[in-house]
Structure formats: C-alpha cells, structure tokens
Amino acid sequence: MFDFSIVTQWVDTLLRSWMSPTAAVIVECVLVGVCLLLGYAVIALALIYIERKVCAFFQCRLGPNRVGPYGVIQSVADMFKMLIKEIIHINHIDKFLFGLAPYIVIISSVLAFSCIPFAKGLQVLDFNIGIFFLLAVSSIGIVGILLAGWSSNNKYTLIGAMRSGAQMISYELSIGLSILTMVMLAGTMSLSGIVEAQAGGWFIFTGHIPAIIAFLIYIIAGTAETNRGPFDLPEAESELTAGYHTEYSGMHFGFFYLAEYLNMFIVASVAATLFWGGWMPLHISGWDGFNQAMDYIPSIIWFLGKVAVMIFIIMWFKWTFPRLRIDQLLKLEWKYLLPINLINLLLMALIIVFGLHF
C-alpha cells in the first residue's frame, strides 16, 4: 500500500535544499494551509451537489440538471453567486460579534478537518492525543452559533441559538462516550494509531456488540451535533425562519452553509476512522491472498468510500424522518442515549479486561 509520507518527506527535503530550515517550515505551513482550504471548498461543493441529488431521489425528482452535465456545475454557480452577493448591514446589532461569529464557526470546522487521516501518511495533525484535540476544537463551533444568535438582536435568532446550544452540548456527551468506548478498545488516542490498530480487523467487527451500539449512538448523536434533520430544530424554517443565521447574508451566510456540510463530512470521517478502519483495507485473518488483493486498492479510495457510505446514511436520516420537537430531542439524549452509552462503556471495559474481543 502506497505511503503518502514518502511524498511529504520528498517535498520537505526539496525545500530544505533550496532554503533555510525556518523558511522551509514557513513555506510548508503555507502549502498545507492552501491544500486544506482547497480540499475544504471542493468537498463542500461536492456534498452540496450530492445532497441535492439524494434529496431529489427520495422525493422522485431529478435535482440539478441544467448547469453542466447532470447539473454538476450548479454548486459552483451558486458559490460564485454567494461570493458576489451584497452583505446587508443590520441596525441595532453588536457589529463586532456579528461579524466574528461565522469566522469562529469556520475556524472550528477547519481545525477539526485538519485532524482527519485521509490515507496512509496523509494527515496534517497527528498528535498522541488526537481524539482529545478533535473533540476540543469541534466544540468551539457552538460559541460562534451562540454569538450569531445573540448579536443579531432578533428573537428568532436567539431562540435558534439557544436551541442549538442545548442540543449540541447535550449530544456531545453521547459522541464523547461513543468515541471513548472505541479509544478503550484501540488503546490509543492517536487517530493514526486507531487506524493501524484495525489492521487485523475493523473495530465494528472485532469489538463485539459494544462497538455496534457505540456506532449506532455515534451516528445518531453526530447527526444531531451537525444540526441536520430530523434534529434541525435550531433552523426550523416553519418556526424560526432560518434560525440563528436569519440576519446573515452574502459570504457570512455562506460560511455557516459551508461549515454545516463540512461538519457532516467530519462526523462521517470520524465514524469511518473509529469503527470501519479508516483508510485500512479489509483484512481477514488467515486469508493472505485476499488481504494482499485488498492492499492493491489505494488507501485514500478505502477512506473516501467508507465516508461516502456514512454521509449517505446521514442524508438518508434527513430525508426520511420528520423533525422532532425540542422536548423529544432532549428526552432522546438524556433518557435513552446517555444511559445506554454509560452501560455500553462498562460492557466494553469488561470485554477488554477479560479478553473477549477478537
């Protein structure tokens, strides 16, 4: 299997042969930043197009089909429209916090995006406490949402922000406990280490029933964490117009829009990494020929394929189930998911202690 660290080491050696070590590090940071932002934008545009097509499929429609073949350039056209739209200035708002909020949301999303191991040796940030860092930076986004709702000086945006705060803080508990369950099984908090620990079998298969329960809870909580249907109470159009970003326009609104889709990609990527082996091919113990054949498939193809399945499941949720009420949403977390998660964590600990996992 190809190791992308060969490419990154070659670039580092090349730059250091042309310039001083300090200048080489600066240039490398700039290149990494450009690649992150480019990947961020491309993935967001692709997901917007895919969501429109999936939505159309579930509703027996065609979806985008005019701009470009099969409508593939529709998202690009919408991006240019968003870039040139006027940012409407609202009276009686906290202008500084109103302008700061979308940047906090987008920075949180980009930092979490940089932790994802896309392929073998292809990862921007790889700490020994990578999971802890990922949970920390992804939690910053709620600050931007609360600031957006409060600084807009609008009762609908404030209600949407308060709903979003209650929802995201509640469901972060289930996400954290689900992740902790798999960290116990892997024995490391490094994302690359978690992937490598699944060389003999993906955790969804080797972790017994606790891994399956943790995966189901993670997908449900992750969907709620990203404010997507049927958990899109903060943006309930029938009640709150557009929720916490009602007063935003132009590129500021575009930041919230992009962050929602990239957060969905991040949730799907973490699910693929923790439960389905990340970029690790499917290996079956004792099947050496089969394992060698699987290794010929590039690691980035494995990763993107698994993420695509996770994203489809999340989209399937949105276009299948009706929106919950806020009391039903919080009841689901505090009365069902959280107790099940705590018991599941204890069950995983017993399986590890007694060596019952595969």
Side-chain angles (χ1 to χ4, degrees):
M1 180 175 291
F2 181 74
D3 189 347
F4 282 88
S5 62
I6 297 173
V7 177
T8 57
Q9 289 172 3
W10 174 78
V11 172
D12 179 65
T13 304
L14 183 65
L15 289 175
R16 288 176 185 272
S17 66
W18 288 353
M19 56 189 73
S20 66
T22 304
V25 170
I26 294 173
V27 172
E28 287 170 6
C29 290
V30 172
L31 289 175
V32 168
V34 170
C35 291
L36 271 179
L37 293 176
L38 185 62
Y40 192 98
V42 170
I43 291 173
L45 291 176
L47 288 178
I48 292 170
Y49 171 77
I50 292 167
E51 168 117 75
R52 289 172 172 176
K53 282 295 187 181
V54 170
C55 167
F57 172 77
F58 281 111
Q59 297 177 352
C60 299
R61 298 185 290 107
L62 293 178
N65 60 359
R66 298 299 181 96
V67 186
Y70 303 102
V72 293
I73 312 179
Q74 182 66 58
S75 297
V76 179
D78 290 342
M79 177 193 69
F80 280 110
K81 185 187 79 168
M82 190 73 70
L83 287 171
I84 63 176
K85 281 187 82 73
E86 176 188 5
I87 296 178
I88 300 172
H89 299 281
I90 311 297
N91 295 326
H92 310 297
I93 62 171
D94 189 317
K95 293 184 179 179
F96 175 73
L97 296 180
F98 185 82
L100 178 65
Y103 291 96
I104 293 177
V105 172
I106 209 79
I107 287 171
S108 169
S109 183
V110 170
L111 286 173
F113 182 68
S114 64
C115 297
I116 297 171
F118 288 91
K120 188 175 183 180
L122 189 61
Q123 184 176 359
V124 177
L125 299 175
D126 186 17
F127 303 135
N128 59 347
I129 53 168
I131 287 291
F132 183 77
F133 179 81
L134 178 65
L135 290 173
V137 297
S138 61
S139 301
I140 298 173
I142 183 58
V143 177
I145 290 175
L146 290 173
L147 285 180
W150 181 82
S151 64
S152 297
N153 194 25
N154 180 311
K155 60 184 178 183
Y156 296 115
T157 60
L158 182 59
I159 293 171
M162 294 302 291
R163 281 185 177 184
S164 182
Q167 177 175 323
M168 293 177 75
I169 290 171
S170 298
Y171 279 87
E172 273 182 3
L173 293 173
S174 284
I175 286 180
L177 289 172
S178 298
I179 291 175
L180 183 58
T181 304
M182 306 316 296
V183 167
M184 288 174 58
L185 182 59
T188 177
M189 294 183 71
S190 167
L191 285 161
S192 60
I194 291 172
V195 174
E196 290 165 1
Q198 301 177 68
W202 301 343
F203 283 162
I204 195 70
F205 302 126
T206 62
H208 282 297
I209 295 176
I212 298 173
I213 294 174
F215 170 69
L216 294 176
I217 293 176
Y218 177 85
I219 284 293
I220 295 170
T223 306
E225 182 77 3
T226 53
N227 293 332
R228 291 183 55 82
F231 306 102
D232 55 343
L233 270 298
E235 307 169 19
E237 297 87 354
S238 57
E239 305 167 24
L240 304 176
T241 58
Y244 56 86
H245 51 61
T246 298
E247 302 291 359
Y248 283 89
S249 56
M251 201 57 223
H252 283 169
F253 171 77
F255 282 164
F256 286 109
Y257 196 56
L258 286 177
E260 177 185 338
Y261 281 94
L262 257 295
N263 287 336
M264 177 175 63
F265 180 84
I266 292 165
V267 166
S269 299
V270 174
T273 300
L274 293 176
F275 301 96
W276 298 93
W279 48 260
M280 188 66 67
L282 176 61
H283 287 165
I284 300 176
S285 180
W287 294 24
D288 295 335
F290 175 82
N291 296 340
Q292 289 177 2
M294 293 295 101
D295 286 341
Y296 283 114
I297 302 175
S299 56
I300 194 167
I301 299 299
W302 277 108
F303 178 78
L304 293 178
K306 295 170 187 177
V307 170
V309 173
M310 297 297 107
I311 288 174
F312 177 76
I313 292 172
I314 294 173
M315 291 181 178
W316 195 352
F317 280 173
K318 178 172 182 176
W319 300 109
T320 302
F321 296 107
R323 181 184 295 134
L324 301 176
R325 294 197 314 265
I326 186 66
D327 61 313
Q328 294 172 330
L329 183 143
L330 295 177
K331 182 179 179 181
L332 173 65
E333 164 62 14
W334 291 102
K335 288 191 175 182
Y336 297 100
L337 295 186
L338 188 58
I340 292 172
N341 233 329
L342 290 170
I343 295 171
N344 192 52
L345 185 64
L346 177 61
L347 185 59
M348 178 61 84
L350 292 174
I351 285 177
I352 294 170
V353 168
F354 292 103
L356 300 177
H357 55 86
F358 294 112

